[in-house]
Each structure stands twice: as C-alpha cells, then as structure tokens.
Amino acid sequence: MNLHEQEVIINATTLQNVCSQLYQKVGVAQSDADTIAEMQVLMDLRGVHSHATRAVPGYVRGVISGNINPNPNLQTLEDNPASVLLDGDRGLGHLVGIRAMNIAIEKAKSTSMGVAIVRNSNHFGAASSHAMRALPHDMIGFATTNGLGVNVAVHGARSTSIGNNAFSYAIPAGEEPPIVLDMACGAAAAGRIGTARLYQQKIPMGWALDADGNETDDPTKVAVILPAAGPKGSALAIVMDVLCGPLSGGLMGINKQYQPGDAPMEKRVSAHFFFAINIANFTDVTEFKAEIDRQIRITRQATPRSGFDRVTLPGEIESELTQERLANGIPLHKQPVQEIEKLADELEVKIPWDRQ
C-alpha cells in the first residue's frame, strides 16, 4: 500500500462503528445506522471515497438541520406485481434506496423482474451500493438517480443543463468477482473532481470547463462538467433523468433547478430508479455464472496496449482493493477524517483511533 503524506490508515470495522454511532446520535435507528455505515465504508474499501464516509458529516448535518428525515415512512403510491412507486418522505437516500431495492428484489422473485421508483428522497450515495444488493439473490441489479442540481453540459454546450446522473449495473459471476459498472454520465463525478481538489492534483483535460467556457485541468476552477464520451454521455444522462424524474411523476433535473413552477417539493428533490432481474426465471444460474466467468477470464487474456499494465473488467480493481484494505486498513485523507472527528466531538461520540 502506497500511503500519501496527507493520508491516515483506519480499520474498516472501527470506521463503520463510528459512522453508525454518528447516525444514531441524530435519531437513526441502530439497525438502519449500521446498514448505512456499512454501505459507506464499503465504498471506501472499494476506493470510491467521493461517495463513502467522507460524506457522512454532510448527511448528519442535513438531519440536524431538518432537511433530511432520519426515519422516513415510505409511502406506497402505486403497487403492482412487478413494480412499485414510493414516496421517500425526504429520508436519508441510502436508507430509502435500501428499502426500495429490497422491494424490487422481492418482486423479482415471483415476476422475473422487479422495478422500484422513488421520489421525494435525498442523495443515495454510490449507485453500486444499491445495485450490488441484488447479487446475493443471484439477480442482476440496476440503480440510477437524479437530483436537484445540474452540473453537466450537453455535448456541444458550455453551460449546464443536465445532472451527472450516475447509474450502476451489478452482474453476478461464479468463481470470479461480480461485474460491477458504476459510472457518472459526466466525464467524472463531481466528487472525483473534489478529490483532486483535496489532494491538490490536476484533472485530465476534457473533464471540465471553467467559468469562461474553456477546458481546464484545475479542479478549483471547474464550473461545468463535460459529458462522458461526448454525445453518448449526454444521451445517457438524459435517459437516466427520464427514468427517475418524469416516470416517478416528478421533473427532469433542469426543470427542478430552473423552472420548478408550482411543483410541490417532493417532485423537485432526489428521485431514484431500481430494478432487479431474477436470473433463475430465464436460465440456469450455474450456467449463467460459468459463462460470465469464461468471459471475464478470456477478457483478461487480451494484450494490454501501450500505457496499460493489464486488462480489467468493471469492478475488478475495486474488488481487489476491498480485500487488501480489509486486511491492512483504509487510507483516508486527513481533512475528511478531521471533519468526522469534529462531528464526533459535537455529538459526544468517542473516536477510537489516534488523532492526527
């Protein structure tokens, strides 16, 4: 493990316990707090720090301010054999997403595919943390979200008009790690640009524009995120927006921000879309997993091109990081760790690691 001078190593279980206690201090039930903390630490283990425990203080302070409901009472607005539409009661997005994905999984057990759509929620963290919930059930999981803000330009534009609507697919394998795609529709997630800012690193050209509409490699000057793969990223972001916004009875991201009109608040905040596909209802699960394994192994045998040491599949590096960090601890930047420590002092939660 290469430790950056601005990083500290923290044990995953220790970090999870502290985060759970922070949530419990603001009224989240212990079982729910444990689950949310586990999901966020998992993202630290996988190296997705922008959507992991770094965000805990923001969520907790959102509960304290009253903007986030720590114990949402999800309301079923529409319920059919294969689908459900839920009102998230302005709850913690992780918790709302967990409950919605669990419903999708249950429906898929009897109807082959289950869909859950949620409106009136909050930021739900990494999309993969929800899609992956389908894996233990031998199902393919999918999750996407849209929110209040727009920070990505449509291909060819210099101003923002769509959200960086992330989505994730999780596909079970047999002996190999599952295939887990988790991507923003922009060239990079805003949190990843924030990570570059934190470490005072440059970002690749082509990721973003500054306030004057010029490409920039300075994360402190980012005003607009460019779409991934040009028109393809734009199109994907719009499609994800449709699945979460209008299909839930809500709004597209741009209308939430610029033209909300008289739409009630529950239509103008975060919305999510989940589905689970029950593999056993289509084919033999063992054969399916064996075929995924074969595909993974053949792909790894491809000859790397110049500049690459190896060929990997979506989620493979994250799976390896998880095992290494479970054994040796998680490297975290000192600044977000200090934010957690500050919040812990305020809420009288003991920090069991040495402060830096």
Side-chain angles (χ1 to χ4, degrees), residues 63-137:
V63 173
I64 293 171
S65 70
N67 292 325
I68 299 176
N69 182 353
N71 289 293
N73 181 22
L74 272 64
Q75 180 182 355
T76 301
L77 304 177
E78 296 286 344
D79 192 8
N80 298 288
S83 65
V84 65
L85 173 63
L86 303 167
D87 183 295
D89 195 23
R90 294 300 302 277
L92 275 161
H94 288 78
L95 184 55
V96 172
I98 290 166
R99 294 178 181 177
M101 190 64 185
N102 285 346
I103 293 174
I105 290 168
E106 285 303 310
K107 288 183 176 294
K109 290 178 180 178
S110 57
T111 62
S112 301
M113 178 173 176
V115 175
I117 304 177
V118 184
R119 67 187 191 205
N120 194 24
S121 182
N122 280 285
H123 190 271
F124 74 173
S128 58
S129 66
H130 300 286
M132 290 170 66
R133 298 187 72 80
L135 295 174
H137 301 276

Side-chain angles (χ1 to χ4, degrees), residues 179-191:
I179 295 175
V180 180
L181 167 66
D182 190 345
M183 61 171 280
C185 292

Side-chain angles (χ1 to χ4, degrees), residues 36-338:
I36 296 169
E38 180 181 4
M39 292 173 72
Q40 291 178 300
V41 171
L42 175 61
M43 289 302 112
D44 275 327
L45 288 167
R46 292 175 66 82
V48 189
H49 298 294
S50 58
H51 289 66
T53 59
R54 182 182 301 172
V56 169
Y59 295 130
V60 171
R61 295 191 191 282
V63 173
I64 293 171
S65 70
N67 292 325
I68 299 176
N69 182 353
N71 289 293
N73 181 22
L74 272 64
Q75 180 182 355
T76 301
L77 304 177
E78 296 286 344
D79 192 8
N80 298 288
S83 65
V84 65
L85 173 63
L86 303 167
D87 183 295
D89 195 23
R90 294 300 302 277
L92 275 161
H94 288 78
L95 184 55
V96 172
I98 290 166
R99 294 178 181 177
M101 190 64 185
N102 285 346
I103 293 174
I105 290 168
E106 285 303 310
K107 288 183 176 294
K109 290 178 180 178
S110 57
T111 62
S112 301
M113 178 173 176
V115 175
I117 304 177
V118 184
R119 67 187 191 205
N120 194 24
S121 182
N122 280 285
H123 190 271
F124 74 173
S128 58
S129 66
H130 300 286
M132 290 170 66
R133 298 187 72 80
L135 295 174
H137 301 276
D138 289 334
M139 297 185 186
I140 296 171
F142 174 85
T144 187
T145 186
N146 77 354
L148 178 60
V150 293
N151 55 1
V152 176
V154 169
H155 181 60
R158 56 174 286 181
S159 59
T160 59
S161 57
I162 51 176
N164 203 350
N165 303 321
F167 67 92
S168 174
Y169 282 94
I171 301 169
E175 297 175 358
E176 299 293 340
I179 295 175
V180 180
L181 167 66
D182 190 345
M183 61 171 280
C185 292
R192 192 170 178 187
I193 294 173
T195 297
R197 240 185 344 259
L198 196 62
Y199 283 88
Q200 299 178 326
Q201 297 172 338
K202 299 290 187 181
I203 60 173
M205 297 296 286
W207 274 19
L209 304 177
D210 61 20
D212 296 322
N214 300 313
E215 287 193 20
T216 181
D217 61 1
D218 186 343
T220 68
K221 295 182 178 180
V222 171
V224 177
I225 298 174
L226 291 169
K232 297 179 181 179
S234 294
L236 284 171
I238 291 169
V239 170
M240 299 306 125
D241 218 345
V242 170
L243 292 176
C244 298
L247 194 58
S248 72
L251 303 174
M252 296 286 282
I254 191 170
N255 292 328
K256 293 179 184 182
Q257 179 158 332
Y258 297 123
Q259 294 181 326
D262 296 325
M265 180 56 72
E266 61 264 21
K267 294 188 177 186
R268 294 190 279 123
V269 290
S270 291
H272 320 306
F273 178 98
F274 309 91
F275 72 61
I277 299 175
N278 189 354
I279 295 168
N281 284 12
F282 295 93
T283 189
D284 181 83
V285 173
T286 301
E287 292 180 2
F288 175 92
K289 290 183 174 180
E291 179 62 15
I292 298 298
D293 281 351
R294 280 192 290 269
Q295 193 272 342
I296 291 171
R297 290 163 182 163
I298 292 172
T299 299
R300 286 202 196 108
Q301 295 172 9
T303 303
R305 65 185 178 91
S306 178
F308 291 82
D309 296 327
R310 55 186 287 211
V311 176
T312 59
L313 286 96
E316 186 171 0
I317 293 174
E318 291 85 349
S319 178
E320 292 172 354
L321 272 178
T322 297
Q323 298 308 311
E324 190 271 330
R325 291 177 173 184
L326 280 172
N328 301 314
I330 304 171
L332 297 174
H333 193 281
K334 293 179 181 179
Q335 181 176 318
V337 171
Q338 289 167 356

